[in-house]
Amino acid sequence: MSKTVLITGASRGIGAACADRFAKEGYNVVINYHSSRTAESLAKHLTDEYGVKTLCAQADIGKRAECEEMIEKAIKEFGFIDVLVNNAGISLSGLFTVTKEDEWERVISTNLSSVYYSTKAVLPHMIREHKGAIVNIASMWGEVGASCEVAYSASKAGVIGLTKALAKEVAPSGIRVNAVSPGVILTDMMKEYDEETLNELKDETPLSRLGTPRDIADAVFFLSGDQAEFITGQILSVNGGFVI
Ligand code: NAP
């Protein structure tokens, strides 16, 4: 029977690349999105190209009720979620001193509380079956902190802490929890950076290029599968050597 992956924020960027990577390996894919209708064309592409089943699930993953409803719908459709990829996220740039409370809360709920909501909804099913893998998308800024991105860095540091602690807690239940920590990856999230800044970031990267969504999708797929069956609680940095 085909396995199923649920990817949050799979309509664009890294999430869409993950959807493609898993579909290529025969997984049914639940494509969560917030507002991008591109999710539907992606779903059609995956079915046409790889013959897999897909489900587009609109939900604001920063809201507990929407997240739980989405997981319930996915389990009803496919019976089980073998792999949960907590990918959806937003960035926020600006001085900490001018960060408004609602901005802070939006970043924390979208990037961190969402991981709590979706994981909490999926785990009872995984525990019952004594199997499953969770891969969270962190960020190198969660590892080392970024000036003028304090809320974002805090949310991603939270994801890293959650990954390590939960991995210890659920390992006896046969479930692995890991994170991929991307460096600078060329997606819509980087649109606010001009050409000059992107070139500077490239020059600062020891491997002399910026990352692609595919770089991250390959790492996520690796951590989710049998090749990584003795790996849990790890933060795999995929950043071209930017942070070592
Ligand atoms: P992106 O291209 O901006 O895509 C973000 C995705 O998240 C979209 O699918 C978006 O859905 C979804 N999303 C945002 N808010 C949501 C919400 N409330 N509910 C459900 N879905 C929501 O970003 P990306 O670069 O692929 O980033 C993906 C992940 O990688 C994020 O967690 C990000 O922090 C992390 N990351 C990215 C970089 C980078 O350089 N790009 C570096 C480190 C870490 P809609 O399309 O419907 O809006």
Side-chain angles (χ1 to χ4, degrees):
M1 207 173 89
S2 299
K3 289 184 174 179
T4 299
V5 60
L6 187 151
I7 304 163
T8 67
S11 47
R12 298 183 278 128
I14 291 169
C18 290
D20 191 271
R21 187 69 178 82
F22 278 86
K24 199 174 172 187
E25 305 292 336
Y27 276 71
N28 302 319
V29 187
V30 183
I31 301 169
N32 160 251
Y33 67 102
H34 186 214
S35 50
S36 293
R37 304 309 295 255
T38 50
E40 278 152 26
S41 50
L42 174 66
K44 186 178 178 319
H45 166 73
L46 299 184
T47 305
D48 292 349
E49 185 76 17
Y50 307 116
V52 298
K53 290 184 186 147
T54 56
L55 174 70
C56 284
Q58 194 282 330
D60 179 345
I61 41 92
K63 295 191 173 137
R64 186 176 53 79
E66 291 189 31
C67 207
E68 285 174 356
E69 202 181 309
M70 171 186 75
I71 304 283
E72 211 173 290
K73 208 167 131 188
I75 293 201
K76 204 169 164 197
E77 179 78 16
F78 294 116
F80 187 65
I81 293 167
D82 298 87
V83 179
L84 170 65
V85 181
N86 285 308
N87 163 76
I90 52 171
S91 58
L92 177 71
S93 301
L95 284 172
F96 178 69
T97 45
V98 299
T99 301
K100 298 189 189 92
E101 195 175 341
D102 64 325
E103 292 174 326
W104 171 271
E105 279 170 0
R106 200 160 56 85
V107 171
I108 299 295
S109 65
T110 308
N111 295 2
L112 179 57
S113 303
S114 63
V115 182
Y116 162 70
Y117 299 144
S118 57
T119 304
K120 198 155 176 254
V122 166
L123 266 178
H125 302 273
M126 289 184 168
I127 290 170
R128 201 174 306 125
E129 297 289 324
H130 208 78
K131 64 174 184 183
I134 298 169
V135 184
N136 298 322
I137 304 299
S139 164
M140 65 177 172
W141 301 133
E143 297 176 64
V144 297
S147 167
C148 295
E149 290 195 57
V150 174
Y152 182 78
S153 301
S155 71
K156 294 299 186 177
V159 169
I160 290 172
L162 184 156
T163 301
K164 292 181 179 183
L166 186 65
K168 289 182 182 172
E169 194 169 310
V170 298
S173 301
I175 299 153
R176 296 182 304 102
V177 188
N178 290 289
V180 173
S181 183
V184 183
I185 310 298
L186 287 166
T187 67
D188 292 348
M189 196 171 265
M190 300 306 296
K191 266 184 178 165
E192 66 185 84
Y193 293 86
D194 58 27
E195 194 72 25
E196 199 188 330
T197 311
L198 288 175
N199 279 332
E200 281 167 14
L201 288 167
K202 191 172 98 178
D203 292 344
E204 275 182 66
T205 305
L207 285 177
S208 305
R209 71 167 173 88
L210 299 179
T212 65
R214 179 63 196 257
D215 290 323
I216 306 305
D218 284 340
V220 170
F221 186 74
F222 164 71
L223 284 174
S224 74
D226 291 346
Q227 313 91 310
E229 68 177 7
F230 199 50
I231 302 178
T232 199
Q234 302 306 307
I235 313 303
L236 177 56
S237 301
V238 182
N239 60 32
F242 198 104
V243 167
I244 293 179

